[in-house]
Amino acid sequence: MAASQTLAEQLRAQGVSRRGFLKFCAATASLMALPPSLIPRIAEALEAARRPSVIWLSFQECTGCTESLTRSHAPTLEGLIFEAISLDYHHTLQAASGEAAEAARLQAMRDNAGAYLVVVDGSIPGPEANPGYSTVAGHSNYAILMETVEHAAAVIAVGTCAAFGGLPRAAPNPTGARAVMELVHDKPIVNISGCPPIPMAITGVLAHYLTFGRLPELDAYRRPLAFFGESIHDRCYRRPFYDQGLFAESFDDEGARQGWCLYRLGCKGPTTYNACATQRWNGGTSWPIEAGHPCLGCSEPAFWDAGGFYQAVSVPPRVNAEALLGAGAAGAALGAGAALAARHLTRHEQQHREPVTVEELEKRL
């Protein structure tokens, strides 16, 4: 597939219809929480876009991030997006090895200077660490990272290890593991945390970059707000049980069998921001909380060192010190008020949403 081809030309060559392409654009807008009014712009930009060069660097990692991406269900938006980029280096997936593999990385850097994207998964032993802790082709992770990002357009840190240090950084951090954003300071960086990250978050960011030529709106941890703007707790289907004060006390009690809230079993949903509850896993089949296991908080910084996985977080969400002093009936009233507010917000969103159909898009474009 020629890199000079536009995405529209590539899709037509693959037999993708105009209607199918518009559905893809509508789904992309929905994923990135963009209004329907921007769908025509997405379609126009993607049709004219040419495949950007992508260099994927894997350092101190378990390959779970790559597994998450490649094992997504088909047919996929991931497939369309990754056929629309030129994945020029990924030592887990590429056929080339040894000197040929490294030559491909260097060639991609030369040919696309200033325009290529760097995707990193895995943490990096910092410059003060022993360079032999983690190497590729005889070079330290740090040296390869800094060499590769020098002329990159942007850097995407995929997975909690790359975003925040992850498991390799857990105390006592013997390798001096660092996050990408601690080492790279002169490039736009987006963190797509998770252990592993949600595939659609990765491809959604790439689609946004292809469309607008920039990274999406980010939170304080440089994560895309479209996927990390709300807590697991706020999106969880078990939230009504929390509001009612109904909690499972063990993994095999009646509350667990009834699907009650897992807060007391250590669920970190109240302090974890991710889209697991809406995107889910394995083709949208399920996610950990639906399977009966509390959220581990894997998309948050230092989650490995944040206390026991099965210990409840110390303070419930949205409860301040004065509310805690009230306890008893006041707590019940607070839960009822939260439930009422949540229902009101849901009704408001339903009344003010902007539905759009493929037929309408075909008329506009």
Side-chain angles (χ1 to χ4, degrees):
M1 188 181 296
S4 60
Q5 281 186 309
T6 65
L7 177 57
E9 292 169 340
Q10 295 165 28
L11 295 181
R12 282 195 292 270
Q14 296 168 41
V16 177
S17 67
R18 174 70 171 169
R19 186 179 182 86
F21 175 68
L22 291 177
K23 287 183 178 179
F24 167 69
C25 294
T28 299
S30 177
L31 280 174
M32 296 304 297
L34 299 173
S37 60
L38 286 182
I39 296 176
R41 180 177 174 184
I42 293 173
E44 180 180 357
L46 290 181
E47 282 187 314
R50 300 184 186 279
R51 292 198 302 160
S53 174
V54 174
I55 298 174
W56 184 301
L57 303 176
S58 297
F59 296 135
Q60 291 188 126
E61 43 79 31
C62 66
T63 314
C65 298
T66 295
E67 289 283 354
S68 175
L69 188 65
T70 59
R71 295 192 179 206
S72 55
H73 58 292
T76 63
L77 298 182
E78 290 91 339
L80 289 176
I81 286 296
F82 274 93
E83 288 170 359
I85 68 172
S86 179
L87 189 57
D88 293 328
Y89 179 86
H90 188 312
H91 67 223
T92 303
L93 299 178
Q94 65 192 35
S97 62
E99 293 180 357
E102 293 309 299
R105 176 175 66 88
L106 297 174
Q107 185 68 44
M109 291 165 56
R110 287 192 296 267
D111 293 347
N112 304 282
Y116 62 87
L117 299 176
V118 176
V119 177
V120 181
D121 76 296
S123 62
I124 305 99
E128 72 286 347
N130 184 330
Y133 280 147
S134 183
T135 65
V136 177
H139 300 282
S140 71
N141 291 173
Y142 176 76
I144 292 175
L145 173 67
M146 302 312 291
E147 176 187 47
T148 307
V149 303
E150 182 178 2
H151 298 294
V155 181
I156 302 174
V158 170
T160 298
C161 291
F164 305 130
L167 173 58
R169 190 174 186 163
N173 189 8
T175 65
R178 306 277 289 275
V180 172
M181 64 182 178
E182 294 179 283
L183 303 173
V184 178
H185 304 291
D186 59 349
K187 300 292 179 182
I189 297 175
V190 57
N191 290 325
I192 305 175
S193 58
C195 191
I198 294 174
M200 298 300 288
I202 303 173
T203 55
V205 168
L206 289 171
H208 190 282
Y209 187 85
L210 280 172
T211 301
F212 300 105
R214 56 180 172 78
L215 298 175
E217 185 179 2
L218 308 177
D219 69 4
Y221 291 116
R222 301 189 186 183
R223 300 176 298 192
L225 279 172
F227 297 98
F228 297 90
E230 294 182 74
S231 71
I232 295 289
H233 181 74
D234 286 337
R235 300 182 181 191
C236 184
Y237 76 100
R238 295 181 188 243
R239 173 64 185 270
F241 293 112
Y242 174 91
D243 293 337
Q244 298 174 54
L246 299 175
F247 303 98
E249 302 291 344
S250 70
F251 286 102
D252 60 354
D253 68 4
E254 184 60 28
R257 287 190 285 272
Q258 294 294 326
W260 289 0
C261 180
L262 302 174
Y263 172 78
R264 291 180 180 171
L265 295 179
C267 184
K268 303 304 186 291
T271 58
T272 302
Y273 289 77
N274 209 337
C276 302
T278 52
Q279 296 295 325
R280 302 195 294 180
W281 298 87
N282 297 323
T285 302
S286 186
W287 58 298
I289 288 178
E290 187 173 351
H293 194 282
C295 169
L296 299 181
C298 74
S299 59
E300 297 304 306
F303 86 99
W304 281 101
D305 294 323
F309 286 155
Y310 301 107
Q311 295 176 353
V313 292
S314 58
V315 180
R318 303 173 193 265
V319 180
N320 57 30
E322 293 179 358
L324 286 174
L325 291 175
L334 179 66
L340 181 62
R343 288 194 295 271
H344 174 75
L345 179 61
T346 299
R347 285 196 299 270
H348 175 81
E349 294 298 329
Q350 290 175 342
Q351 292 169 359
H352 293 83
R353 65 181 179 178
E354 298 178 76
V356 63
T357 65
V358 174
E359 289 76 12
E360 290 174 331
L361 288 175
E362 289 176 330
K363 294 177 181 177
R364 295 184 197 177
L365 301 177

